[in-house]
């Protein structure tokens, strides 16, 4: 195809009016009214040894907080939540509850509808924030210093718990703002009204935590330096690399990493200034792919097609997320993989896909059947990866299968260095990152104060 | 279809469902709507003496809500009718004329002076209503003026006023009793001794619905203050049942016609009171919650149930439960039941376990079998108290009779009773 013949990319901002955008990016689930919350809370059986509590990675006392809502003690409910999960407000908005607490609610069995735990959790944490309450007081200062790298949910949860114990915490963050994917990754319609920063403000208000942005491990900082300047170090680095398709033509400007695009979208002050393609193709089957597809559609893309190389059951995205994509008009094509990209900078690209199937051994193979899609914008969302490079230099923690190796307390192979969140093997969810940070903080506190002095805070 | 016609104290009614004396029966407009809906009778909102009517305050109601259930209990601080006597009398006469087959009872409350009663009785007779109900029950406002519960709590006054009424009118006289007494038998006996044709019970229970913790005042709050009111609705039904049962099974009052009131919301509630001997039932809160239409279900629900049970008319089951109400000491000590959990219906909430463990007899085990929760009754520890059955939200616990081969033995015969008559 000669340069002159190439079809120009149709990528434009302002495909929707400002009011339409405001509506499209408003709260995915409207907050419950007081009456709705009361009614819903009275559906909870207050189970003994409740399965929901067990299914929550942070072990929130769910029956306990729901009962508090039912008695009109919404702030007590909020505190019950935060006692186990300091990011209860974000988790209420983004947890895939249909695979966690709500999946095991006993009311699924009875009348096939779980108590809407996440919505109640949001009601309670909102109430606590609205009341401007600070439920936590710092213990007397211990004089111990802990460095945390990465101000995502893992790092901040760790920081908060350590600060409560009286330790002095410095959080080093490469980016300009704290929050990790809460600020840069989660879908905009799940995190409206600047909730990520309001939650961080709340976390910091306990005192004892300093955040230093623009400080990256591997650049401004080295692990050796951190370990020698502090009594302990926690790594909450997340996943900063992305997987590539491995195709020629991947580097044309029409092909972007979904996470970068979402990050820009989340940072946009004015959504009507965010450009989106007329025809968008998303490659992948996880949360990121769905979020990119739905947000592109809501920005006004005409056609959004999500192509995934396996079937709906294998998708990383939950049923709820898949439904959300479809009700937003995203076309999902299963069992197809990209095999060629044709285009150049400034032009639309022609994506060629090959149909896939499982061979006799359950391995994915191409069937030979092909189809093409024209796209003004292609989002790659085929997974992120941990980048171990920043750890290098001195004594680096052991990495295996692409993640930092830790024991059940978050301890790495290097003495005094802990890690948690997406950079260690696990569920790759906000809630599990929070739990990792919390568990590591308990272990760090134990190590810093000696076995006997640990009384636990709660 | 079963024959639902019934009577109480000589007052006939096409069905046992009446509206109690209260706002729903305060004027022609409401009562006509009620009759159109199918109600068998009404007790008109209590009339007072001629002259300036009473004045009400706002607000007047407080309520107890439980979960999504609104108005489990209702409390009011209203007084008797606040409309002029002559207007009420004119409307009563008109409605009775237009609806001759329905029971029209007029509730009265005047000061405790014979002349006052003579005067109003004559005026009421002129309406050609079917009977009167003496309101000795209103626990607030009127009692402070020496009427209502102030009379109802003193059996001598109840008897005296009832006798006045019986000697000055031929209309059937129902005496409405207040539950705010230590024993209902005193006032009930007095109503009977005074010649009353029957009793209506219960009126409302002294209550404060709640304390507003911001205003630091009881609800309903009238400009920062509140006073106690009268409680009614589903919450009071158990108390009403007990009082009706006491009257029905006590030798001195047994057989006294009863028009039962208190928390009746559906045909089943009504049937329970009839089984205790009531001839008619009265409803207030339920219609103030849902409107008059609920009588449709009351009528066909009761009728279908009677058909299924083979009861052709009300008297076929009226009072049938009375012989089964006894004193504790006559209960069979050898009757044994244990809880049984229907495992296939169990949703594993664990409530049966935790309540038995924490508050009863440690008779339900909690185990995890291959990660699955399982709750099992330990028969030999179970005392058959039924607590688990009541807490189970899925209704999957039943009580199974244990065949222990033992004969009937009550406490008076029980060797464990230090005062038993059991032969050594
Ligand atoms: C698009 C998208 C949507 C998602 N949606 C959901 C969802 O709906 N629900 C859900 O539960 N989970 C979701 N997730 C996953 C969730 O966001 C992550 O599991 C969670 O944020 C992990 O927390 P973390 O603290 O481990 O890492 P991150 O949130 O990634 O935070 C890591 C932080 O470390 C910083 N950092 C990295 N390297 C360095 C360095 N060298 N020096 C200094 N700082 C560094 C980063 O800038 C970042 O601030 C989503 C993820 C993505 C990408
Ligand atoms: C607002 C209100 C006003 C009432 N006024 C009277 C009254 O004037 N005379 C009377 O005898 N009972 C009065 N009652 C009591 C009712 O007649 C009835 O005895 C009581 O409400 C119990 O029945 P329920 O549980 O069906 O409501 C009133 C009750 C309410 C709720
Ligand atoms: S009936 Fe009472 S004692 Fe028996 S198992 Fe149930 S709660 Fe326990």
């Amino acid at each position: 195809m000669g340069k002159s013949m190439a079809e120009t990319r149709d990528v434009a901002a302002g495909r929707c009016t400002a009011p339409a955008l405001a509506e499209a990016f408003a709260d995915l689930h409207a907050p419950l009214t007081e009456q709705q919350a009361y009614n819903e809370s009275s559906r909870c059986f207050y189970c003994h040894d409740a399965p929901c509590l067990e299914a929550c990675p942070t072990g929130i006392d769910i029956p306990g907080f729901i009962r508090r809502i039912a008695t009109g003690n919404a702030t007590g409910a909020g505190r019950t939540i935060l006692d186990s999960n300091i990011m209860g407000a974000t988790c209420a908005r983004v947890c895939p509850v249909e695979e966690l607490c709500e999946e095991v609610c006993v009311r699924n069995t009875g009348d096939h509808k779980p108590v809407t735990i996440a919505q109640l959790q949001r009601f309670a944490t909102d109430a606590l924030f609205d009341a401007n309450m600070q439920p936590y007081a710092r213990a007397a200062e211990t004089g111990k210093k802990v460095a945390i790298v990465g101000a995502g949910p893992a790092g901040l949860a760790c920081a908060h718990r350590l600060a409560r114990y009286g330790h002095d915490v410095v959080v080093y963050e490469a980016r300009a703002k704290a929050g990790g994917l809460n600020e840069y990754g989660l879908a905009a319609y799940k995190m409206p009204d600047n909730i990520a920063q309001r939650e961080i403000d709340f976390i910091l208000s306990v005192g004892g935590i300093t955040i230093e942005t623009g400080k990256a491990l591997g650049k401004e900082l080295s692990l050796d330096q951190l370990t020698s300047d502090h009594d302990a170090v926690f790594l909450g680095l997340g996943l900063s690399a992305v997987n590539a398709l491995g195709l020629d033509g991947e580097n044309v400007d029409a092909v972007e990493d979904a996470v970068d695009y979402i990050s820009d979208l989340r940072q946009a002050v004015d959504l009507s200034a965010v450009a989106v393609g007329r025809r968008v193709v998303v490659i992948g089957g996880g949360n990121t792919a769905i979020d990119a597809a739905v947000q592109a559609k809501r920005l006004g893309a005409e056609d959004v097609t999500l192509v995934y190389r396996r079937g709906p059951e294998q998708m990383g995205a939950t049923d709820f997320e898949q439904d959300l994509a479809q009700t937003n008009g995203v076309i999902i094509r299963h069992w197809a993989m990209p095999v060629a990209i044709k285009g150049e900078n400034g032009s639309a690209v022609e994506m060629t896909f090959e149909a896939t199937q499982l061979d006799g051994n359950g391995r994915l193979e191409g069937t030979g059947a092909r189809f093409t899609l024209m796209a003004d914008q292609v989002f790659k969302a085929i997974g992120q990866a941990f980048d171990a490079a920043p750890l290098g230099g001195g004594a680096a923690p052991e990495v295996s299968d692409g993640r930092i190796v830790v024991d059940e307390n978050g301890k790495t192979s290097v003495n005094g260095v802990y890690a948690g969140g997406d950079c260690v093997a696990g569920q790759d969810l906000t809630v599990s990152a929070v739990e990792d940070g919390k568990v590591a903080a308990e272990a760090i506190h134990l190590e810093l104060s000696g076995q006997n002095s640990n009384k636990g805070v709660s | 279809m079963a024959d639902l016609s019934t009577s109480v104290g000589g007052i006939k009614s096409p069905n046992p469902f009446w509206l109690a004396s209260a706002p729903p029966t305060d004027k022609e407009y409401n009562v006509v709507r009620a009759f159109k809906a199918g109600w068998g009778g009404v007790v008109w909102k209590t009339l007072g003496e001629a002259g300036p009517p009473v004045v009400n305050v706002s607000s007047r109601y407080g309520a107890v809500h439980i979960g999504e259930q609104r108005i489990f209990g209702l409390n009011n601080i209203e007084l008797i009718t606040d409309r002029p006597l002559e207007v009420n009398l004119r409307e009563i006469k008109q409605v009775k004329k237009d609806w001759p087959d329905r029971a029209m009872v007029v509730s009265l409350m005047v000061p405790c002076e014979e002349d006052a009663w003579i005067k109003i009785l004559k005026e009421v007779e002129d309406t050609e209503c079917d009977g009167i109900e003496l309101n000795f029950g209103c626990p607030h406002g009127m009692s402070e003026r020496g009427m209502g519960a102030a009379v109802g709590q003193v059996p001598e006054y109840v008897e005296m006023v009832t006798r006045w009424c019986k000697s000055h009118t031929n209309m059937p006289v129902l005496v409405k009793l207040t539950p705010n007494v230590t024993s209902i038998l005193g006032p009930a006996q007095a109503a009977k001794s005074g010649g009353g044709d029957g009793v209506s019970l219960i009126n409302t229970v002294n209550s404060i619905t709640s304390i507003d913790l911001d205003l630091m005042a009881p609800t309903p709050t009238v400009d920062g203050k509140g006073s106690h009111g009268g409680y009614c609705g589903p919450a009071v039904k158990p108390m009403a049942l007990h009082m009706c049962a006491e009257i029905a099974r006590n030798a001195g009052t047994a057989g006294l016609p009863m028009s039962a009131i208190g928390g009746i919301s559906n045909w089943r509630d009504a049937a329970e009171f009839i089984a205790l001997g009531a001839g008619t039932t009265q409803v207030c809160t339920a219609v103030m919650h849902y409107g008059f239409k609920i009588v449709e279900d009351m009528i066909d629900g009761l009728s279908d149930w009677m058909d299924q049970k083979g009861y052709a008319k009300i008297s076929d089951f009226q009072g049938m439960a009375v012989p089964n109400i006894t004193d504790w000491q006559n209960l069979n000590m050898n009757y044994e039941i244990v809880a049984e959990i229907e495992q296939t219906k169990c949703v594993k909430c664990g409530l049966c376990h935790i309540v038995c463990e924490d508050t009863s007899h440690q008779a339900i085990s909690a185990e995890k079998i291959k990660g699955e929760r399982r709750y099992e009754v330990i028969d030999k520890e179970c005392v058959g108290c039924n607590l688990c059955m009541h807490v189970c939200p899925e209704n999957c616990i039943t009580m199974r009779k244990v065949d222990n081969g033992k004969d009937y033995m009550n406490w008076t015969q029980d060797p464990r009773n230090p005062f038993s008559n059991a032969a050594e």
Side-chain angles (χ1 to χ4, degrees):
Chain A
M1 198 186 329
K3 198 171 181 128
S4 53
M5 288 169 63
E7 188 187 330
T8 313
R9 282 180 77 198
D10 182 354
V11 181
R15 289 188 188 272
C16 296
T17 60
L21 280 173
E23 201 188 315
F25 285 87
D27 248 324
L28 185 58
H29 300 287
L32 298 180
T33 63
E34 213 169 299
Q35 186 63 45
Q36 286 170 324
Y38 174 73
N39 289 351
E40 188 62 19
S41 67
S42 49
R43 293 186 62 235
C44 172
F45 288 163
Y46 196 63
C47 293
H48 161 72
D49 186 20
C52 51
L53 190 160
E54 213 167 81
C56 171
T58 56
I60 293 173
D61 177 6
I62 294 166
F65 94 70
I66 294 180
R67 191 176 170 78
R68 285 174 173 82
I69 294 176
T71 67
N73 178 9
T75 51
R79 198 172 48 233
T80 304
I81 293 160
L82 301 188
D83 281 348
S84 299
N85 180 339
I86 199 64
M87 289 202 163
T90 290
C91 288
R93 292 162 169 82
V94 308
C95 270
V97 284
E98 63 281 12
E99 294 182 348
L100 297 170
C101 53
E102 291 184 16
E103 182 183 32
V104 297
C105 174
V106 304
R107 300 221 64 170
N108 283 305
T109 334
D111 47 17
H112 310 289
K113 191 184 168 294
V115 173
T116 57
I117 298 169
Q119 299 238 71
L120 290 171
Q121 177 166 324
R122 165 152 183 203
F123 177 81
T125 49
D126 280 355
L128 190 81
F129 285 3
D130 291 348
N132 259 321
M133 272 178 152
Q134 173 51 269
Y136 305 111
R138 279 190 81 195
E141 296 204 15
T142 61
K144 304 279 185 193
K145 286 178 67 178
V146 182
I148 288 176
V149 189
L156 291 173
C158 186
H160 187 262
R161 182 125 323 204
L162 286 169
R164 279 175 67 192
Y165 278 126
H167 306 303
D168 210 3
V169 184
V170 187
V171 184
Y172 298 102
E173 166 56 51
R175 303 186 80 145
K177 281 191 195 167
L181 293 172
N182 290 11
E183 175 61 35
Y184 291 97
L186 302 171
Y189 44 75
K190 291 182 185 170
M191 300 288 287
D193 306 324
N194 207 20
I195 181 65
Q197 293 308 316
R198 283 196 286 137
E199 184 172 63
I200 293 169
D201 290 345
F202 170 80
I203 289 173
L204 298 184
S205 69
V206 77
I209 306 172
T210 315
I211 297 195
E212 297 206 11
T213 51
K215 294 269 170 69
L217 185 68
K219 287 186 187 151
E220 291 82 6
L221 312 161
S222 76
L223 190 53
D224 276 352
Q225 193 61 46
L226 288 178
T227 47
S228 65
D229 291 353
H230 299 84
D231 298 293
V233 176
F234 175 82
L235 304 172
L237 298 167
L239 305 173
S240 42
V242 285
N243 295 332
L245 295 172
L247 297 175
D248 291 343
E250 188 168 346
N251 296 324
V252 297
D253 57 7
V255 183
E256 299 178 51
D257 284 323
V259 283
D260 292 341
Y261 185 77
I262 291 171
S263 166
D264 291 347
L265 175 74
R266 282 294 308 273
Q267 295 311 304
V269 185
D270 176 9
L271 286 173
S272 58
V274 177
V276 67
R278 186 168 63 83
R279 296 156 303 179
V280 173
V281 168
V282 182
I283 301 165
N287 266 331
T288 308
I290 299 278
D291 287 359
V294 172
Q295 289 176 113
K297 192 77 195 161
R298 290 187 174 198
L299 280 172
E302 242 173 65
D303 298 320
V304 179
T305 309
L306 185 152
V307 186
Y308 177 53
R309 59 187 177 150
R310 295 174 193 269
E313 293 80 31
Q314 290 84 14
M315 271 198 171
T318 61
D319 289 351
F320 171 80
E321 299 281 347
Q322 296 184 40
D323 288 352
L324 183 71
Q326 278 164 331
T327 51
N328 275 272
V330 172
I331 295 164
I332 301 186
R333 298 193 67 157
H334 300 109
W335 300 111
M337 60 184 178
V339 289
I341 304 173
K342 206 155 81 189
E344 54 201 52
N345 279 344
S347 80
V349 291
E350 184 190 78
M351 297 287 303
T352 305
F353 293 90
E354 181 177 356
T356 55
Q357 63 187 24
L358 296 179
D359 70 11
N361 301 318
R363 269 195 307 265
L364 200 70
E365 61 175 17
T367 65
R370 296 186 167 211
F371 64 90
T372 58
L373 293 172
M374 282 305 290
D376 300 294
Q377 200 168 22
V378 177
F379 294 127
K380 296 182 285 183
I382 56 167
Q384 291 135 262
F386 173 61
D387 175 13
L391 301 176
E398 185 190 337
V399 173
S400 156
D401 283 337
R403 306 282 175 116
I404 301 175
V405 179
V406 289
D407 69 7
E408 73 277 9
N409 293 316
K411 213 168 173 340
T412 68
S413 60
V414 176
N415 239 345
V417 178
Y418 293 74
D422 284 359
C423 66
V424 308
Q427 286 172 296
D428 292 354
L429 295 174
T430 308
V431 65
S432 36
V434 172
E435 178 65 5
D436 286 356
K438 179 177 101 185
V439 166
E442 292 291 345
I444 292 170
H445 172 64
L446 204 65
E447 185 177 311
L448 296 189
S449 48
Q451 295 282 337
N452 303 330
S453 64
N454 176 49
K455 296 261 165 38
V457 285
S458 62
Chain B
M1 161 141 188
D3 175 6
L4 298 186
S5 67
T6 180
S7 75
V8 63
I11 304 167
K12 291 194 168 44
S13 176
N15 65 45
F17 309 119
W18 291 3
L19 291 177
S21 173
T25 62
D26 195 24
K27 51 183 174 317
E28 179 174 5
Y29 178 82
N30 304 89
V31 173
V32 167
R33 287 175 66 86
F35 284 164
K36 281 187 183 152
W39 291 89
V42 299
V43 182
W44 201 276
K45 172 77 180 169
T46 306
L47 310 183
E49 290 188 292
V54 301
V55 183
N56 277 301
V57 294
S58 47
S59 94
R60 305 173 193 180
Y61 306 146
V64 173
H65 313 295
I66 295 184
E68 285 191 63
Q69 171 65 55
R70 307 292 293 180
I71 311 191
F72 176 63
L74 182 69
N75 158 299
N76 82 89
I77 54 171
E78 266 184 11
L79 306 178
I80 60 174
T81 184
D82 51 13
R83 303 187 323 138
L85 178 65
E86 56 288 2
V87 175
N88 278 308
L89 292 170
R90 192 172 64 234
E91 290 183 2
I92 292 167
K93 186 168 185 165
Q94 185 64 45
V95 178
K96 180 63 206 177
K97 194 162 153 249
D98 296 344
W99 299 84
D101 70 319
R102 308 302 168 92
M104 171 65 77
V105 178
V106 178
S107 172
L108 299 175
M109 183 196 287
V110 295
C112 235
E113 296 150 14
E114 192 165 6
D115 288 347
W117 285 95
I118 294 174
K119 189 158 184 293
I120 193 135
L121 286 171
K122 295 303 153 212
E123 289 170 319
V124 172
E125 270 175 0
D126 180 56
T127 65
E128 292 174 49
C129 68
D130 300 294
I132 57 169
E133 187 180 82
L134 312 184
N135 181 353
F136 292 157
C138 189
H140 47 80
M142 302 312 290
S143 52
E144 291 153 22
R145 307 176 192 190
M147 293 181 264
V151 179
Q153 286 165 337
V154 184
E156 293 75 17
Y157 292 169
V158 172
E159 183 173 340
M160 178 178 75
V161 178
T162 309
R163 181 160 296 124
W164 289 342
C165 292
K166 281 306 289 182
S167 53
H168 296 299
T169 180
N170 292 324
M171 293 184 289
V173 175
L174 299 177
V175 179
K176 186 163 178 178
L177 304 180
T178 172
N180 301 312
V181 291
T182 317
S183 166
I184 199 69
L185 293 176
Q189 181 66 58
K192 190 179 171 190
S193 308
D197 298 282
V199 286
S200 304
L201 74 163
I202 57 175
N203 208 310
T204 55
V205 183
N206 278 335
S207 66
I208 288 175
T209 338
S210 62
I211 302 295
D212 184 316
L213 290 175
D214 296 318
L215 299 175
M216 280 295 167
T219 62
T221 312
V222 181
D223 192 21
K225 302 263 189 265
S227 70
H228 80 274
Y231 200 43
C232 51
V236 307
K237 185 186 137 200
M239 296 168 229
L241 282 171
H242 166 248
M243 292 184 178
C244 289
E246 285 302 284
I247 291 171
R249 76 188 189 95
N250 180 272
T253 48
L256 185 60
M258 290 189 292
S259 184
I261 321 169
I264 297 169
S265 312
N266 53 50
W267 64 268
R268 190 179 285 277
D269 295 333
E272 292 176 25
F273 282 97
I274 295 169
L276 288 180
T280 61
T281 59
Q282 301 184 26
V283 174
C284 171
T285 303
V287 293
M288 290 182 70
H289 190 174
Y290 300 112
F292 292 145
K293 201 169 159 22
I294 59 168
V295 76
E296 293 171 9
D297 161 67
M298 297 180 90
I299 290 169
D300 59 45
L302 182 66
S303 169
D304 283 10
W305 173 79
M306 286 173 65
D307 289 349
Q308 282 156 25
K309 291 282 179 187
Y311 302 132
K313 49 190 191 307
I314 295 289
S315 56
D316 285 356
F317 75 98
Q318 191 178 4
M320 248 173 110
V322 178
N324 292 327
I325 299 167
T326 181
D327 291 335
W328 188 90
Q329 62 173 6
N330 301 324
L331 301 176
N332 183 2
M333 308 301 295
N334 281 337
Y335 179 72
E336 222 178 285
I337 52 172
V338 291
E340 196 161 62
I341 301 172
E342 196 177 329
Q343 295 291 349
T344 51
K345 274 169 69 185
C346 173
V347 298
K348 325 279 183 214
C349 71
L351 285 175
C352 58
H353 160 76
I354 199 62
V355 298
C356 190
E357 193 71 15
D358 281 354
T359 73
S360 291
H361 298 86
Q362 298 74 49
I364 297 182
S365 64
E367 276 184 291
K368 261 196 192 167
I369 299 168
K370 294 200 199 93
E372 270 276 310
R373 291 167 171 74
R374 192 174 174 91
Y375 301 97
E376 209 115 39
V377 178
I378 307 161
D379 283 5
K380 68 176 197 337
E381 300 297 338
C382 175
V383 302
C385 73
N386 287 27
L387 177 64
C388 53
M389 182 181 102
H390 294 302
V391 301
C392 177
E394 293 295 326
N395 231 333
C396 67
I397 301 184
T398 49
M399 304 305 294
R400 172 170 51 86
K401 182 163 170 13
V402 178
D403 193 3
N404 57 15
K406 295 183 190 162
D407 294 334
Y408 170 88
M409 177 195 63
N410 68 38
W411 184 238
T412 66
Q413 305 155 333
D414 194 319
R416 291 167 293 189
N417 175 358
F419 305 104
S420 79
N421 318 324
E424 284 298 309

